[in-house]
Amino acid sequence: MSDDLSASYERCRELHRRHGRTYYLATRLLPTWKRRHVHALYGFTRYADEIVDRTEDLPPAERAALLNEWSERFLAGLRGEPIDDPLLPAVLHTIAVFDLDLADFDAFLRSMAMDLTVTSYDTYDDLLGYMEGSAAVIGTMMLPILGSPDPVAAREPARQLGLAFQLTNFIRDVAEDLDRGRTYLPDDHLARFGVSREELQRRVATPKIKDLIRYEVSVAKDHYRRAAPGIPMLQPASQACMRTAFRLYGGILDEVVAADYDVFTRRATVPNPRRASVAIRSILTRPGTPVEVLA
């Protein structure tokens, strides 16, 4: 591996370590040779997300131009053209090693572009359309790296796990998303519990809002239940990683429940002792053991 490619993988690893605390811990349980490829995919998705979410002071057209410019560099790299980018060489190498489906990357970039203009979703089906590119395809990108003797059967659970993780983030980050002028709680869910956007903006966990968040937790847990059968389908060396990620992201929902569905007072995080305990239990679990679904 060239020095430039090694540096690119290291750049992705550092982004993952800094911003993906939960998933970074889980990734440490993978064989060393697999870790760098997971870091590369995380780096790709995180950098695009940073363009969308960390350039809020710029007009939408300028933010769109930045995302488009980076997307064009990525496409040029796929065509084999030389590119000047600290992160993309690792991504392109990972795509080549595992022959990853380029349609997944196209869907992801389209969803990132939606975040520049779309601030809310009328229905849960509309939200799922966005999440197809922002979350479900992350599961299918990851699957060839994690490996499975039956990738066809493992594909849908992988998609569901991507959806479950992102819904968990949406629930945890309601206040943070409001700061960005967005909500990922769809209008039909708000209407179901008589919650207006103005009430959300007040950031007070009223009984109606708590009922709404309780419902969102149940929706997320349904995706976890659909994802659970896929983890024993993975290569044995990848199962401890994904068991840990499954339990730690699910643990965020547990913390939301423990806070009585108040997502405004503090950001739900899993305490460090529990994080360590989950990782150890996952390492000690025999490969192929069914994953306990979230209650």
Side-chain angles (χ1 to χ4, degrees), residues 22 124 131 156-172 216-232 242-254 256 270 291-295:
T22 295
Y124 188 63
M131 292 173 62
E156 184 56 26
R159 293 180 70 261
Q160 292 295 327
L161 194 58
L163 297 173
F165 287 174
Q166 186 161 65
L167 283 171
T168 299
N169 288 340
F170 289 164
I171 293 165
R172 179 193 62 195
E216 300 299 342
V217 168
S218 73
V219 172
K221 286 184 176 182
D222 184 55
H223 287 287
Y224 280 102
R225 281 190 285 272
R226 298 181 195 182
I231 294 177
M242 297 313 299
R243 287 177 193 277
T244 299
F246 184 99
R247 289 170 176 161
L248 289 181
Y249 272 93
I252 294 172
L253 296 182
D254 292 340
V256 171
V270 178
V291 173
E292 182 180 347
V293 298
L294 302 178

Side-chain angles (χ1 to χ4, degrees), residues 263-288:
V263 292
F264 298 115
T265 301
R266 69 174 183 87
R267 193 171 191 260
T269 58
V270 178
N272 285 334
R274 183 178 177 187
R275 288 159 55 84
S277 174
V278 164
I280 291 169
R281 289 203 314 272
S282 296
I283 292 169
L284 296 177
T285 299
R286 183 189 299 274

Side-chain angles (χ1 to χ4, degrees), residues 10-27 38-39 41-51 53-55 87 165 169 172-173 176 180 249 252 267-269 275:
E10 178 57 24
R11 168 66 173 152
C12 292
R13 187 197 69 80
E14 181 57 26
L15 275 176
H16 196 176
R17 184 193 67 79
R18 190 183 315 139
H19 297 289
R21 184 167 171 257
T22 295
Y23 198 35
Y24 184 79
L25 170 63
T27 302
V38 177
H39 297 326
L41 292 186
Y42 183 90
F44 176 81
T45 58
R46 181 69 195 191
Y47 190 79
D49 194 55
E50 290 280 295
I51 292 173
D53 285 343
R54 306 298 176 187
T55 58
L87 186 143
F165 287 174
N169 288 340
R172 179 193 62 195
D173 297 337
E176 184 177 327
R180 296 190 174 112
Y249 272 93
I252 294 172
R267 193 171 191 260
T269 58
R275 288 159 55 84

Side-chain angles (χ1 to χ4, degrees), residues 44-269:
F44 176 81
T45 58
R46 181 69 195 191
Y47 190 79
D49 194 55
E50 290 280 295
I51 292 173
V52 171
D53 285 343
R54 306 298 176 187
T55 58
E56 293 163 324
D57 293 337
L58 298 177
E62 290 187 32
R63 297 163 70 198
L66 287 172
L67 181 62
N68 185 64
E69 178 187 348
W70 192 68
S71 300
E72 287 299 321
R73 287 207 301 275
F74 171 61
L75 293 173
L78 288 175
R79 293 191 296 266
E81 298 174 19
I83 55 171
D84 182 15
D85 189 277
L87 186 143
L88 287 177
V91 180
L92 295 168
H93 183 255
T94 291
I95 290 171
V97 168
F98 293 96
D99 192 24
L100 299 183
D101 188 348
L102 299 183
D104 286 344
F105 292 84
D106 180 63
F108 173 77
L109 290 171
R110 279 189 277 109
S111 284
M112 291 302 97
M114 288 174 65
D115 270 336
L116 295 172
T117 57
V118 180
T119 59
S120 63
Y121 294 87
D122 290 340
T123 69
Y124 188 63
D125 283 344
D126 293 333
L127 180 64
L128 283 174
Y130 163 79
M131 292 173 62
E132 177 62 30
S134 64
V137 300
I138 307 302
T140 54
M141 287 178 192
M142 282 287 301
L143 186 55
I145 299 171
L146 298 173
S148 173
D150 191 350
V152 173
R155 179 180 173 83
E156 184 56 26
R159 293 180 70 261
Q160 292 295 327
L161 194 58
L163 297 173
F165 287 174
Q166 186 161 65
L167 283 171
T168 299
N169 288 340
F170 289 164
I171 293 165
R172 179 193 62 195
D173 297 337
V174 170
E176 184 177 327
D177 290 329
L178 286 170
D179 289 340
R180 296 190 174 112
R182 296 192 211 122
T183 176
Y184 294 102
L185 307 181
D187 289 345
D188 59 347
H189 288 188
L190 269 64
R192 178 173 183 160
F193 294 95
V195 175
S196 68
R197 296 195 180 280
E198 290 73 21
E199 287 174 286
L200 282 179
Q201 288 287 0
R202 295 188 192 109
R203 303 168 194 241
V204 176
T206 64
K208 289 191 299 183
I209 289 177
K210 288 183 178 183
D211 286 344
L212 169 65
I213 298 302
R214 181 183 290 108
Y215 178 70
E216 300 299 342
V217 168
S218 73
V219 172
K221 286 184 176 182
D222 184 55
H223 287 287
Y224 280 102
R225 281 190 285 272
R226 298 181 195 182
I231 294 177
M233 296 180 188
L234 299 175
Q235 289 177 350
S238 297
Q239 290 185 30
C241 165
M242 297 313 299
R243 287 177 193 277
T244 299
F246 184 99
R247 289 170 176 161
L248 289 181
Y249 272 93
I252 294 172
L253 296 182
D254 292 340
E255 294 299 317
V256 171
V257 174
D260 193 25
Y261 304 98
D262 179 356
V263 292
F264 298 115
T265 301
R266 69 174 183 87
R267 193 171 191 260
T269 58

